[in-house]
Amino acid sequence: DPAMKAALSHAAYAKFVASDGTMRVGVASPPNRPARPDRPELVHPKDVPSPKTCPLGMSAAMIHNVAHIELNAIDLAWGTVARFSALA
């Protein structure tokens, strides 16, 4: 659930900031791969509306793209915390 992932990330960050850098991160084993649907729905490119003809316009397409980038960034950040926290 992306919303839950974002909320937990914000809560962890707030806790870290409130600790004034004294909070220690535990050791964890990350999953082998981020949580994703087993079989995401694939859509043929010709069936995806062009931002030029979509009633929502280019802004909606850009927000959609940025949302995917941010979701992957959160996964990478937590993967780094889990893999390298023992070195801190």
Side-chain angles (χ1 to χ4, degrees), residues 39-81:
R39 296 187 61 96
E41 180 183 352
L42 298 178
V43 179
H44 194 279
K46 71 177 184 175
D47 295 331
V48 176
S50 166
K52 295 175 186 171
T53 60
C54 178
L56 299 175
M58 185 62 87
S59 295
M62 291 303 292
I63 290 170
H64 177 86
N65 292 338
V66 170
H68 279 282
I69 292 167
E70 289 300 317
L71 182 63
N72 285 315
I74 291 171
D75 288 339
L76 288 170
W78 281 115
T80 300
V81 169

Side-chain angles (χ1 to χ4, degrees), residues 9-23:
S9 295
H10 282 285
Y13 176 73
K15 201 173 199 179
F16 179 77
V17 169
S19 77
D20 203 25
T22 61
M23 185 175 109

Side-chain angles (χ1 to χ4, degrees), residues 23-41:
M23 185 175 109
R24 291 283 154 230
V25 178
V27 178
S29 297
N32 290 331
R33 64 184 194 79
R36 298 286 188 272
D38 287 335
R39 296 187 61 96
E41 180 183 352

